Amino acid sequence: MRYSQQREIIRDIVFSTNSHPTADWVYGKAKKSMPNISLGTVYRNLKQLTDQHIIKTIYDGTIARYDWNKESHDHLKCVDCGEMVDIQTSNRERLKTVVNDKHNFDITDVEITFIGKCHKHNKKEKKE
Amino acid sequence: MRYSQQREIIRDIVFSTNSHPTADWVYGKAKKSMPNISLGTVYRNLKQLTDQHIIKTIYDGTIARYDWNKESHDHLKCVDCGEMVDIQTSNRERLKTVVNDKHNFDITDVEITFIGKCHKHNKKEKKE
DNA sequence: ATTTAAATAATAACAGTTCCTATTATTAGA
DNA sequence: TCTAATAATAGGAACTGTTATTATTTAAAT
Ligand SMILES: [Mn+2]
Ligand SMILES: [Mn+2]
Ligand SMILES: [Zn+2]
Ligand SMILES: [Zn+2]
């Protein structure tokens, strides 16, 4: 994989945020420093970076997001604002072992997403 | 929601399989008993059935699948054949509570997908 | 039976993503 | 340092899964 300025910019953008950005968001950012970068280039590089295990691709409903955090970790997702934050689930590895033993499946990974409302949206409304 | 023959067929198809079918697969099946049903009708009804909590929509990577099983449960996914099977994870509810308490998030649900290889593909190769 | 509105088939529109191709840029080697 | 080979690019077309539009059909209440 040969060096390219575009790929460096794209990589840096993904590493600059905890927001699990979409390709389109990365594209918007990238255009600021390189006005005629193309969306195709962004997608191609995000895929290459994923293949090289430099970033991770995660799926949020029906769209792809990108994550610089390659550690095995889980996510918390707000149904109101879509915000997605990292979380460390304690039993993670044990879960995998348990399932591996119980089923005829060779488990390599587990993806856990907690769905709910972030502090901005879980204002507990008092009845009355 | 008024009765329709199309919706009944679609519902029955989803309830007839454990394979977590895609809209397109349901469409193919439905055409057998109702040759000029349209794909739009399939999508519209799958969404309605989901809204009525008669079935569940789940996302597999970037595409939607449908599940008659409304119990809270998890999935095992084979990276080789894409097969997706139901699984009951024991600590599920406790996981939610723990996360709820630790983070400023009001958790309503958790989605757990185990990634691996099903028995058809996990033939353990002995290093010679 | 008549009326009303929900549901349909057909098809266009859409969003996210991948693919294509002529041009440009990186880099290994002379 | 210049050149040649070719990886990567910009721009745009194509593709895929899904949703929206609309004229027509259908369920079902009166
Ligand atoms: Mn993350
Ligand atoms: Mn299921
Ligand atoms: Zn929120
Ligand atoms: Zn398999």
Side-chain angles (χ1 to χ4, degrees):
Chain A
M1 194 167 60
R2 199 156 69 168
Y3 171 85
S4 92
Q5 208 175 315
Q6 287 84 340
R7 179 153 53 238
E8 184 171 55
I9 286 170
I10 289 162
R11 196 207 79 104
D12 287 352
I13 290 170
V14 174
F15 274 75
S16 75
T17 179
N18 288 320
S19 69
H20 306 89
T22 62
D24 213 62
W25 188 91
V26 173
Y27 177 51
K29 278 268 175 175
K31 273 197 291 198
K32 298 201 173 145
S33 49
M34 187 171 264
N36 54 4
I37 192 172
S38 78
L39 183 55
T41 295
V42 172
Y43 273 107
R44 182 165 15 82
N45 280 289
L46 288 170
K47 182 171 293 178
Q48 281 171 159
L49 291 167
T50 300
D51 291 346
Q52 307 281 164
H53 307 104
I54 293 165
I55 63 174
K56 268 178 74 176
T57 299
I58 63 190
Y59 294 97
D60 173 19
T62 188
I63 96 163
R65 293 181 171 275
Y66 303 89
D67 197 341
W68 57 265
N69 188 350
K70 276 118 31 210
E71 308 269 305
S72 58
H73 67 283
D74 305 310
H75 295 101
L76 225 42
K77 186 188 171 190
C78 177
V79 291
D80 278 6
C81 64
E83 187 179 40
M84 207 168 196
V85 328
D86 284 352
I87 180 188
Q88 210 57 49
T89 306
S90 43
N91 316 49
R92 219 169 184 285
E93 288 310 307
R94 195 153 44 84
L95 261 185
K96 280 167 59 179
T97 319
V98 169
V99 172
N100 216 342
D101 294 351
K102 200 155 70 184
H103 294 77
N104 202 350
F105 240 84
D106 184 24
I107 306 294
T108 54
D109 200 12
V110 55
E111 283 170 12
I112 309 182
T113 306
F114 293 86
I115 316 285
K117 303 202 180 197
C118 77
H119 65 288
K120 276 168 283 178
H121 300 107
N122 70 0
K123 31 185 63 110
K124 33 202 94 208
E125 352 224 1
K126 280 230 165 59
K127 259 274 141 66
E128 201 250 327
Chain B
M1 193 165 60
R2 200 161 64 168
Y3 171 86
S4 90
Q5 206 176 317
Q6 287 83 340
R7 185 179 307 115
E8 184 172 56
I9 286 170
I10 289 162
R11 197 206 78 103
D12 287 351
I13 290 169
V14 174
F15 274 76
S16 76
T17 178
N18 288 319
S19 69
H20 306 89
T22 62
D24 212 63
W25 188 90
V26 173
Y27 177 51
K29 278 267 175 176
K31 273 197 292 198
K32 297 199 173 150
S33 48
M34 186 171 266
N36 54 3
I37 192 172
S38 79
L39 182 55
T41 296
V42 172
Y43 272 108
R44 181 167 15 84
N45 280 289
L46 288 170
K47 182 172 293 177
Q48 282 172 158
L49 291 167
T50 299
D51 292 346
Q52 309 281 173
H53 307 104
I54 293 166
I55 63 174
K56 269 178 74 178
T57 300
I58 63 190
Y59 294 96
D60 172 19
T62 188
I63 96 163
R65 293 182 171 275
Y66 303 89
D67 198 341
W68 57 265
N69 187 351
K70 276 115 36 207
E71 310 269 304
S72 59
H73 67 283
D74 306 308
H75 294 101
L76 225 42
K77 186 186 172 194
C78 177
V79 291
D80 278 4
C81 64
E83 188 179 39
M84 208 168 195
V85 328
D86 285 353
I87 179 187
Q88 209 58 47
T89 305
S90 44
N91 317 47
R92 219 168 184 284
E93 289 309 306
R94 195 152 47 84
L95 261 185
K96 279 167 61 179
T97 319
V98 169
V99 173
N100 216 342
D101 294 352
K102 200 154 71 182
H103 295 77
N104 202 352
F105 240 84
D106 183 25
I107 307 294
T108 54
D109 200 11
V110 55
E111 283 170 13
I112 310 181
T113 306
F114 294 86
I115 315 287
K117 303 204 177 194
C118 78
H119 65 287
K120 275 168 282 180
H121 300 106
N122 71 0
K123 30 185 64 109
K124 32 201 94 206
E125 350 223 3
K126 279 229 165 61
K127 256 280 141 66
E128 162 84 25

